Amino acid sequence: MTTISEQDITVEKTQNSKLKDTDFNNLPFGKVFSDHMLISRYKEGSWSIPEVVPYQPITLDPSAKIFHYGQSVFEGMKAYKDDNDDIYLFRPLENCKRLNISSKRLAIPEIPESYFMEGLKKLLKVDQDWIPTTSGSALYIRPFVFASGNGFHASPANEYIFIIATAPSGAYFSGKVTVAIEEKYSRSANGGVGYAKAGGNYAGQFYPTQLAIDKGYNQVIWTDDTTHEYIEEAGAMNIFVRINDTLITAPTSDRILDGITRKSILEIAKKEGINVDVRRISVKEIVEAAKNGSLKEMFGSGTAAVISPISGFGYKNKDYTLPELDDSYANKLKTLITDIQYNRSEDPFNWRTKID
């Protein structure tokens, strides 16, 4: 079966809800988890019909291939409540599509779209009271797939588990972020898995990021793998640069994630009449723009923070500070995109999906 409806999905309710013990006015990002999760298992060539079950640990054999060969991909998305307590998702089919693009690259069986969408809708209805309503908060949603099949042989697994778990999270404030432009390490390479949301991509970022933190920066701006002359991403986010009144971002490639927030920002910016340029951006160009005053803004974009402004960067042992603007593109674009997400404005792009 590759097409299902919500009615096909069974629900096992928890007997020990954590809801009453959760402080919704003090929600750290991704550390408090809702009562239930969605689970489906791939075995003998097909995925089982998803089930909603109590949030719980997973038991795996020590020889499960996830531990040895890293077959694991994930997504990040959110559910929002508006002032009427109606529930909305933001471009969820894009997350489903990208999860399967990532899966294909790591030789993981793809998830049928109806399993993803109908399963997610069912889960959100069961845990709808976990979607916070305080300003800026949302229910963070983490779909992920990993190899559960056993064996030490270096080959794709024959069994997998698909889970959607959720975590109510408060407003994400990154504060003033300073970054170091990476001169040695690479996030990904041509022909590699940089465009996939593979767990190993993020594991490989932690060490060079810690080196930057030890030097007083918050994050790393990743550069290309061969020359380190072109910027590509900012930490785990896509990156935008504003030079004069033009908003620039690098094109997606084998090395750069096709961010859903990134492409939403591009469409909104064009609609607002902002000059947009999708092209390679050299470190030299950014440094020169910082020196001559034409570099107005830099910011990262992603699900968690939506937009995270960068206040300064370091390169070759020299620091550069960006101006503080009252009319920044970052603030304007973040307001426009979050107004759509929270149903505070019209949605001219048809990006919202209401959970009825």
Side-chain angles (χ1 to χ4, degrees):
M1 181 182 291
T2 57
T3 302
I4 61 171
S5 67
E6 273 190 62
Q7 286 68 39
D8 295 314
I9 300 170
T10 60
V11 176
E12 178 189 347
K13 288 282 191 75
T14 183
Q15 299 300 309
N16 299 291
S17 175
K18 306 181 295 290
L19 193 62
K20 63 181 183 302
D21 299 319
T22 301
D23 181 3
F24 280 83
N25 292 314
N26 184 29
L27 289 171
F29 181 79
K31 292 186 177 181
V32 177
F33 303 100
S34 312
D35 280 333
H36 300 89
M37 65 186 194
L38 184 84
I39 187 166
S40 173
R41 299 177 187 273
Y42 183 88
K43 192 174 182 179
E44 297 179 354
S46 64
W47 288 100
S48 65
I49 296 176
E51 303 171 87
V52 174
V53 299
Y55 183 89
Q56 60 192 269
I58 303 165
T59 300
L60 293 173
D61 192 282
S63 67
K65 290 199 173 184
I66 177 59
F67 300 133
H68 307 280
Y69 303 113
Q71 277 184 289
S72 174
V73 296
F74 69 95
E75 273 299 316
M77 51 197 303
K78 289 178 179 178
Y80 311 86
K81 273 188 178 177
D82 67 6
D83 293 339
N84 297 317
D85 273 353
D86 290 326
I87 302 168
Y88 292 91
L89 294 170
F90 182 74
R91 308 189 75 174
L93 288 175
E94 292 291 331
N95 292 100
C96 180
K97 176 182 176 182
R98 192 173 62 183
L99 183 69
N100 281 331
I101 289 172
S102 299
S103 294
K104 185 176 182 179
R105 180 61 181 83
L106 271 73
I108 295 172
E110 296 177 33
I111 302 291
E113 182 182 295
S114 67
Y115 284 40
F116 184 101
M117 290 300 301
E118 299 303 311
L120 177 54
K121 290 176 184 178
K122 189 81 166 189
L123 177 62
L124 291 177
K125 289 180 181 179
V126 171
D127 273 348
Q128 60 184 297
D129 291 340
W130 280 94
I131 304 174
T133 56
T134 53
S135 178
S137 61
L139 185 71
Y140 184 79
I141 301 168
R142 172 55 59 88
F144 60 104
V145 190
F146 62 91
S148 56
N150 303 334
F152 291 148
H153 187 267
S155 61
N158 61 355
E159 296 182 7
Y160 298 85
I161 296 176
F162 168 54
I163 289 175
I164 301 180
T166 64
S169 298
Y172 191 102
F173 295 111
S174 57
K176 291 186 176 181
V177 175
T178 58
V179 296
I181 296 180
E182 184 56 53
E183 301 174 48
K184 176 182 178 181
Y185 296 100
S186 299
R187 194 191 78 87
S188 58
N190 287 331
V193 297
Y195 68 90
K197 283 189 74 70
N201 287 346
Y202 298 81
Q205 292 185 28
F206 295 154
Y207 175 67
T209 300
Q210 187 58 53
L211 294 180
I213 291 171
D214 291 343
K215 293 179 181 178
Y217 301 99
N218 303 108
Q219 260 299 349
V220 167
I221 288 185
W222 302 105
T223 50
D224 69 283
D225 62 310
T226 52
T227 67
H228 295 288
E229 293 177 358
Y230 295 89
I231 68 166
E232 297 197 331
E233 292 195 353
M237 309 177 81
N238 294 117
I239 188 166
F240 286 84
V241 175
R242 176 185 173 186
I243 296 179
N244 291 318
D245 290 331
T246 298
L247 191 62
I248 312 166
T249 193
T252 55
S253 67
D254 285 350
R255 303 183 307 277
I256 298 176
L257 185 72
D258 186 13
I260 295 166
T261 306
R262 171 191 174 276
K263 55 187 167 188
S264 302
I265 287 171
L266 288 174
E267 290 193 49
I268 291 173
K270 290 175 184 177
K271 184 177 183 298
E272 291 298 310
I274 295 172
N275 189 34
V276 173
D277 196 0
V278 179
R279 62 171 174 81
R280 299 179 79 189
I281 317 164
S282 70
V283 178
K284 180 180 179 180
E285 180 181 6
I286 291 172
V287 170
E288 287 301 316
K291 289 179 178 178
N292 65 33
S294 61
L295 179 63
K296 305 300 183 183
E297 296 180 70
M298 297 172 67
F299 57 83
S301 69
T303 299
V306 184
I307 287 177
S308 181
I310 294 169
S311 61
F313 68 91
Y315 181 64
K316 292 193 179 299
N317 299 313
K318 185 172 181 179
D319 291 329
Y320 300 85
T321 301
L322 275 71
E324 294 187 15
L325 304 177
D326 294 330
D327 58 346
S328 70
Y329 286 175
N331 288 338
K332 178 178 182 177
L333 292 167
K334 183 172 184 177
T335 297
L336 290 168
I337 197 168
T338 54
D339 280 352
I340 292 173
Q341 291 171 335
Y342 287 93
N343 193 32
R344 293 190 294 251
S345 70
E346 294 298 317
D347 177 15
F349 308 98
N350 294 316
W351 287 339
R352 277 194 302 259
T353 297
K354 187 177 181 181
I355 305 301
D356 293 316

